[in-house]
């Protein structure tokens, strides 16, 4: 049976641009995984892999023009957006290089024997080691930052884990180019190029999660696809960790006082956030609780004016366009739902931004409007008009887990007066990041960042952005009563690597 060809497609026209290759066979997936497995020893030296990450970042910078051109041809996201995303991706590689150099991620803890303790404590030395080969499933909407050289790959390599990436079908040519940059960077430091494998095709993605040498997986995509892979990872003879980002509604609560104080500002900000990148951000606000009354009416008027002025845009592929058009049509047909700015088809290849409104009681009294509580990928949001705090709280209680939850407070509420603290306490169980008087779109790469949340936002409690993303690809191991001469250098008393550690209960830096 001949392998299916892999084509680069222009989302602006729907036409095939060039054949990139063919979908990986079972033998090719096996070869990629085994090559990655064979590269593990080359990543063992922290100095080598730190230098590798920095060289990879420099390689992306050097190839910027060609990479951005290729990305725009396959995604239609535009050179400005893509240039910024590429810079973020290179920064992320350098940030993980710094983390590797520092060494705190190894979490070294040393306890010497203590016969006076109850029970007695033997000599115990703990640190973290890499899991092994990591399968990475690229996202459609971030062709750089959540793809071949994105956060999953960068954090896995930083942890000392080789990767095999399943390329996203929306940008296969770009995926090959970026993989080439990483492989050349690896070769400069004596690391086998197989340390970064790349495969194409749906079946290849399934075979990858099932391969016995794959020890963990990172995924960004749909609930349906992510859940299927999550179940496959759990059903293996030896189950493996599956860190999936699946979907998020990213609710926003606008208090009555905030709407009265700055309705127009909030409406404009919401319009910018929900239409950013043609609504294709994983943290797009998809459901917004707005009070009934004059302040809420002003907010909706401001939102109407801003969204109506938004030009039609191109989604990442025609399948997503078709799903968006069908999804907004189905939602708009529900009883009690209005469309102040109707979302839908903007042309043969584009979509128009819009939003829907619905009374909160439609979401609290029956189950016929549950569709409004599901993510709709694209430039649309649902404005829920609530009559009082109890009604708003009831809607929030029905929401699944999210990446973000946002509250727009008045100046007095933000100063701690009124229900501000109580509202934050209500939102915290819903999401991994709680945003106050700002908008969730934009996920900073920073040590304190958390990009994750309760299911179905993610399948684990970890983050895919920020320094702690490295923890997903490590496991702790303890040596008991091992002689100094047999210990890894990281665990020796004289600390030859100069690592931060906890030594007999005292934190050393």
């Amino acid at each position: 049976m001949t392998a299916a060809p892999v084509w680069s497609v222009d989302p602006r026209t729907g036409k095939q641009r060039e054949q990139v290759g063919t979908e990986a066979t079972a033998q090719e997936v096996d070869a990629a995984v085994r090559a990655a497995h064979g590269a593990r020893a080359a990543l063992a030296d922290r100095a080598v892999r730190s230098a590798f990450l920095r060289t990879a970042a420099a390689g992306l910078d050097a190839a910027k023009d060609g990479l951005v051109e290729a990305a725009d041809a396959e995604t239609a996201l535009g050179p400005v957006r893509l240039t910024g995303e590429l810079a973020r991706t290179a920064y992320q590689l350098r940030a993980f290089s710094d983390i590797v150099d520092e060494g705190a991620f190894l979490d070294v803890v040393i306890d010497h024997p203590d016969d006076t303790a109850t029970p007695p404590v033997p000599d115990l030395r703990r640190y973290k080691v890499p899991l092994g080969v990591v399968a990475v499933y690229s996202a459609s909407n971030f062709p750089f930052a959540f793809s071949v050289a994105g956060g999953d790959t960068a954090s896995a390599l930083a942890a000392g884990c080789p990767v095999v990436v399943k390329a996203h079908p929306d940008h296969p040519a770009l995926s090959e180019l970026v993989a080439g940059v990483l492989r050349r960077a690896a070769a400069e430091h004596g690391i086998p190029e197989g340390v970064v494998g790349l495969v194409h095709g749906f079946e290849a993605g399934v075979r990858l999660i099932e391969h016995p040498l794959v020890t963990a997986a990172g995924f960004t995509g749909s609930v349906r696809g992510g859940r299927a892979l999550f179940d496959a990872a759990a059903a293996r003879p030896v189950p493996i960790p599956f860190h999936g980002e699946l979907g998020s509604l990213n609710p926003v609560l606008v208090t009555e006082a905030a709407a009265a104080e700055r309705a127009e500002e909030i409406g404009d900000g919401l319009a910018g956030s929900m239409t950013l990148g043609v609504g294709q951000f994983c943290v797009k606000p998809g459901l917004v609780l707005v009070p009934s009354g004059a302040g809420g009416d002003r907010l909706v008027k401001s939102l109407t004016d801003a969204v109506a002025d938004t030009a039609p845009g191109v989604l990442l592929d025609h399948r997503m366009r078709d799903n968006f058009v069908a999804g907004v049509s189905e939602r708009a047909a529900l009883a009690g739902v209005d469309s102040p700015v109707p979302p839908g088809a903007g042309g043969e290849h584009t979509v128009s931004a819009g939003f829907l409104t619905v009374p909160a009681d439609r979401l609290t009294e029956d189950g016929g409007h549950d569709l409004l509580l599901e993510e709709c990928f694209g430039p649309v949001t649902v404005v829920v008009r609530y009559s009082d705090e109890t009604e708003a709280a009831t809607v929030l209680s029905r929401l699944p887990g999210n990446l973000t939850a946002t509250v727009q407070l008045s100046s007095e509420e933000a100063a701690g007066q009124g229900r501000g603290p109580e509202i934050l306490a209500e939102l915290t169980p819903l999401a991994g990041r709680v945003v106050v008087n700002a908008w969730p779109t934009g996920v900073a790469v920073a040590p304190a960042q958390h990009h994750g949340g309760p299911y179905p936002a993610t399948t684990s409690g970890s983050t895919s952005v920020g320094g702690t993303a490295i923890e997903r690809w490590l496991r702790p191991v303890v040596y008991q009563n091992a002689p100094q001469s047999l210990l890894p250098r990281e665990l020796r008393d004289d600390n030859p690597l100069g690592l931060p550690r906890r030594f007999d209960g005292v934190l050393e830096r």
Side-chain angles (χ1 to χ4, degrees), residues 51-417:
F52 165 36
L53 292 171
R54 290 191 180 279
T55 300
L60 292 178
D61 288 339
K64 177 183 67 176
D65 293 343
L67 293 176
V68 168
E69 181 180 359
D72 186 45
E74 291 187 312
T75 67
L77 289 174
V80 173
R81 148 74 192 274
L82 291 166
T83 298
E85 187 185 329
L86 180 58
R88 165 204 170 108
T89 305
Y91 172 81
Q92 189 163 244
L93 288 164
R94 293 186 176 99
F96 277 111
S97 177
D98 290 341
I99 289 170
V100 173
D101 288 339
E102 181 193 55
F105 73 98
L106 294 170
D107 197 19
V108 176
V109 182
I110 296 175
D111 287 324
H112 285 98
D114 183 356
D115 293 335
T116 67
T118 305
V121 176
D123 188 276
L124 298 172
R125 295 159 190 266
R126 179 187 189 272
Y127 78 144
K128 292 180 179 177
V129 297
L131 290 174
V133 178
V134 171
V136 172
Y137 293 82
S138 293
S140 60
N141 54 339
F142 284 89
F144 290 120
F146 285 82
S147 188
V148 176
D152 286 345
T153 294
S155 58
L157 293 173
C161 296
V163 300
V164 178
V165 181
K166 190 273 182 186
H168 197 280
D170 281 348
H171 35 83
L174 175 68
S175 297
E176 291 286 349
L177 292 174
V178 173
V181 171
L182 296 183
R183 288 166 177 161
R184 288 190 292 274
E188 284 191 35
H189 298 281
I191 301 171
E193 294 186 4
V195 72
V196 177
L198 183 68
V199 297
H200 298 271
F202 175 82
E203 291 298 328
V206 175
R207 293 185 181 111
L208 189 57
I209 200 71
E210 295 173 344
H211 198 287
L213 293 180
V214 168
T215 61
F219 171 91
T220 304
S222 69
V223 173
R224 182 180 178 183
R227 183 55 195 254
L229 290 171
F230 174 68
D231 291 344
R236 289 170 36 133
V238 178
I240 60 173
F242 182 87
H243 301 284
E245 179 191 324
L246 310 188
S248 183
L249 197 60
N250 304 301
V252 178
L253 173 63
V254 181
T255 69
E256 185 174 3
E261 183 178 273
R262 49 191 182 88
E264 289 75 17
E265 176 189 333
I266 295 172
D268 286 344
L270 173 58
S273 185
M274 59 160 282
T275 61
L276 185 66
V278 202
Q280 297 175 112
F281 279 55
C282 51
V283 289
K284 178 204 73 175
L287 184 138
V288 187
L289 288 154
V290 174
S292 301
D297 291 343
R298 287 166 44 219
L299 190 158
V300 172
K301 174 63 167 59
S302 174
L303 178 64
T304 299
D305 293 343
V307 174
D309 287 341
T310 302
V314 178
L315 294 184
L316 291 159
D317 61 39
H318 276 226
R319 177 185 57 81
M320 291 182 186
R321 179 186 178 277
D322 292 344
N323 288 341
F324 173 77
V325 172
V328 296
S329 177
E330 187 177 2
R331 287 164 171 79
L334 294 172
V337 174
D338 291 324
S339 305
V341 181
E348 185 179 359
H349 304 291
T350 61
V351 297
S352 293
F355 70 97
L356 311 174
T357 62
V358 65
D361 60 16
R362 293 285 184 172
L363 297 175
T364 60
E365 293 182 353
D366 63 71
H369 289 66
D370 286 355
L371 183 62
L372 299 177
L373 304 181
E374 298 178 11
E375 179 185 21
C376 186
F377 194 73
V380 64
T381 196
V382 177
V383 174
V384 181
R385 301 298 299 271
Y386 67 91
S387 59
D388 55 37
E389 295 170 353
T390 299
E391 197 170 48
T394 301
V395 174
L396 289 173
S397 72
R398 298 196 60 218
L399 299 185
N402 295 272
L403 294 170
T404 70
T406 298
V407 60
Q408 297 290 337
L409 301 171
S410 69
S411 54
E412 287 188 357
E413 290 169 329
Q417 303 177 38

